[in-house]
Amino acid sequence: MKLVLLGAPGAGKGTQASSLAEFLHVPHISTGDIFRKNLRNETPLGMKAKSYMDQGLLVPDELTVDLVMDRLSEEDCQNGYILDGFPRTLAQADALSQKEKLDAAVNIHVPDEVIVERMGGRRVCPSCGESYHVQYNPPKQEGICDKCGAELITRADDVPETVQKRLTVYHDQTAPLIDYYDQKGLLVTVDGTMAPKDVTGAIVKAIQE
Ligand code: AP5
Ligand code: MG
């Protein structure tokens, strides 16, 4: 199953991609996680991406598209994948559609006011990328990742001003992809305000219909 997850920052793309990847036995590919890993390792790509990410802006398409296409050509993606955070512009979506035949684009819909509240309580694992929330989705042991045991951190771009900027960028540049995939007959929309496991259930039901 080849899936794209669409949704505003904080809509739950990472949370759902992680559950769906386990359920469908396909890799979870998050461009945000790839950039953050490069940043931690101080690679040339990480250094280029940093200034955009810190401001809540999109990393240029020319840096992003090749990176994802290379990843999708790897062996583990041949039976499917969950793309989380890509595509985010019409140019990225066109580049993807030239190489790949998707099964569905899942739009996780969450109103902006809910997003702002979620971001304040988010904690992430710097090692495996797993997302938690202090109230809505806490780890079993406070401050520690359930999956890999690393110490959880707050993401640098989760400060309120950057969250607002990311929301504006989402509405301007990424939201048009909802119509793009609707016109291709691939769009599935789910209510992302339900509890995480109910959102997963709604996605699984929708993609199996
Ligand atoms: P990226 O890492 O993709 O960030 P984003 O799109 O802003 O999305 P988030 O990761 O913030 O949110 P999410 O939807 O994954 O939500 P999560 O599951 O964590 O991108 C970061 C940056 O990298 C971009 O700004 C850009 O600079 C760059 N970049 C990345 N991809 C790019 C691309 N393709 N092109 C150009 N630039 C790119 O959930 C959020 C919180 O809510 C968590 O605390 C979670 O526990 C909680 N939560 C989740 N679901 C629920 C629920 N159902 N109920 C209650 N709480 C919930
Ligand atoms: Mg994410």
Side-chain angles (χ1 to χ4, degrees):
M1 179 84 68
K2 297 184 174 182
L3 294 182
V4 159
L5 299 190
L6 299 174
K13 300 182 296 297
T15 303
Q16 295 306 323
S18 171
S19 303
L20 290 168
E22 231 167 76
F23 180 74
L24 297 168
H25 305 289
V26 293
H28 166 193
I29 300 167
S30 156
T31 39
D33 286 349
I34 295 173
F35 287 135
R36 280 184 288 276
K37 192 169 180 194
N38 276 273
L39 207 72
R40 272 201 311 284
N41 296 333
E42 297 183 358
T43 67
L45 174 70
M47 293 297 105
K48 280 185 202 153
K50 180 177 167 37
S51 60
Y52 299 99
M53 294 174 79
D54 284 351
Q55 295 178 69
L57 301 173
L58 295 184
V59 176
D61 290 337
E62 53 273 27
L63 291 179
T64 311
V65 169
D66 289 351
L67 175 92
V68 175
M69 292 311 161
D70 282 353
R71 180 67 187 86
L72 297 185
S73 67
E74 286 177 33
E75 187 61 37
D76 64 334
C77 292
Q78 300 322 302
N79 290 327
Y81 46 76
I82 316 282
L83 272 174
D84 155 13
F86 183 95
R88 256 176 148 98
T89 63
L90 288 168
Q92 292 180 11
D94 277 337
L96 181 65
S97 77
Q98 277 166 26
K99 292 260 170 69
E100 294 288 321
K101 195 174 173 311
L102 296 175
D103 292 292
V106 179
N107 176 30
I108 305 173
H109 178 74
V110 176
D112 285 7
E113 54 276 17
V114 179
I115 299 285
V116 174
E117 192 198 344
R118 280 188 187 180
M119 298 309 225
R122 173 161 60 179
R123 299 293 178 271
V124 294
C125 175
S127 181
C128 73
E130 193 74 2
S131 243
Y132 299 89
H133 191 282
V134 288
Q135 189 183 347
Y136 307 128
N137 185 22
K140 292 192 180 85
Q141 190 187 341
E142 194 184 330
I144 303 293
C145 179
D146 293 348
K147 275 201 165 166
C148 72
E151 208 166 308
L152 302 178
I153 58 161
T154 300
R155 250 170 60 176
D157 58 352
D158 276 352
V159 292
E161 316 81 77
T162 315
V163 169
Q164 282 303 340
K165 182 70 199 168
R166 285 160 60 204
L167 274 172
T168 305
V169 167
Y170 166 76
H171 287 295
D172 288 351
Q173 299 189 52
T174 307
L177 296 183
I178 296 171
D179 272 351
Y180 175 95
Y181 284 116
D182 196 17
Q183 279 166 23
K184 287 183 181 288
L186 291 173
L187 187 74
V188 166
T189 296
V190 295
D191 174 3
T193 64
M194 300 182 289
K197 66 171 187 0
D198 295 331
V199 179
T200 311
I203 295 174
V204 168
K205 186 165 174 268
I207 60 180
Q208 285 173 344
E209 270 168 6

